[in-house]
Amino acid sequence: MIVNFSDIMETHRVKTCFTITFTDEQYTRAKYYVEDMKRHPNRIFWKGKEGKTDDELIIEQIAHRILSGFYNDDPLTAGRHIMRMDSTATR
């Protein structure tokens, strides 16, 4: 029996634009991370990242860490990094 998960679970799509701030230290750390990932071209990190510049990859890494909570020890810290968020939901 083949199960189509889209028939089982309703999904939603949200397009969100964040305005974030980051420190020089966070930029440097993300830059080293991207440089390390270049040595491992078969990692999942690269899925969907074809053709992106190093700066785009670095900024994506910073945003990922901020939004995932890596830099947020407490709720007030998150508020310092995420300055604005605009979202649009579609079905």
Side-chain angles (χ1 to χ4, degrees), residues 10-16 87-91:
E10 182 178 346
T11 60
H12 304 273
R13 180 173 290 206
V14 176
K15 183 173 184 173
T16 305
S87 300
T88 304
T90 60
R91 285 184 170 230

Side-chain angles (χ1 to χ4, degrees), residues 14-44:
V14 176
K15 183 173 184 173
T16 305
C17 178
F18 290 92
T19 301
I20 60 173
T21 63
F22 54 90
T23 65
D24 290 339
E25 180 183 338
Q26 289 168 324
Y27 184 90
T28 300
R29 185 176 181 181
K31 181 179 176 184
Y32 288 138
Y33 182 84
V34 169
E35 289 171 358
D36 183 54
M37 285 297 106
K38 286 181 177 182
R39 293 189 287 272
H40 307 282
N42 294 324
R43 288 195 177 164
I44 191 76

Side-chain angles (χ1 to χ4, degrees), residues 25-85:
E25 180 183 338
Q26 289 168 324
Y27 184 90
T28 300
R29 185 176 181 181
K31 181 179 176 184
Y32 288 138
Y33 182 84
V34 169
E35 289 171 358
D36 183 54
M37 285 297 106
K38 286 181 177 182
R39 293 189 287 272
H40 307 282
N42 294 324
R43 288 195 177 164
I44 191 76
F45 171 84
W46 294 107
K47 185 175 173 87
K49 292 183 171 64
E50 300 83 7
K52 292 193 176 181
T53 65
D54 285 359
D55 205 44
E56 287 174 307
L57 295 170
I58 292 166
I59 297 302
E60 281 185 6
Q61 181 61 24
I62 293 168
H64 169 75
R65 288 182 159 274
I66 288 171
L67 297 172
S68 297
F70 287 102
Y71 294 138
N72 305 335
D73 297 347
D74 60 70
L76 297 177
T77 302
R80 283 197 324 246
H81 292 297
I82 302 170
M83 304 303 296
R84 180 182 172 145
M85 179 180 77

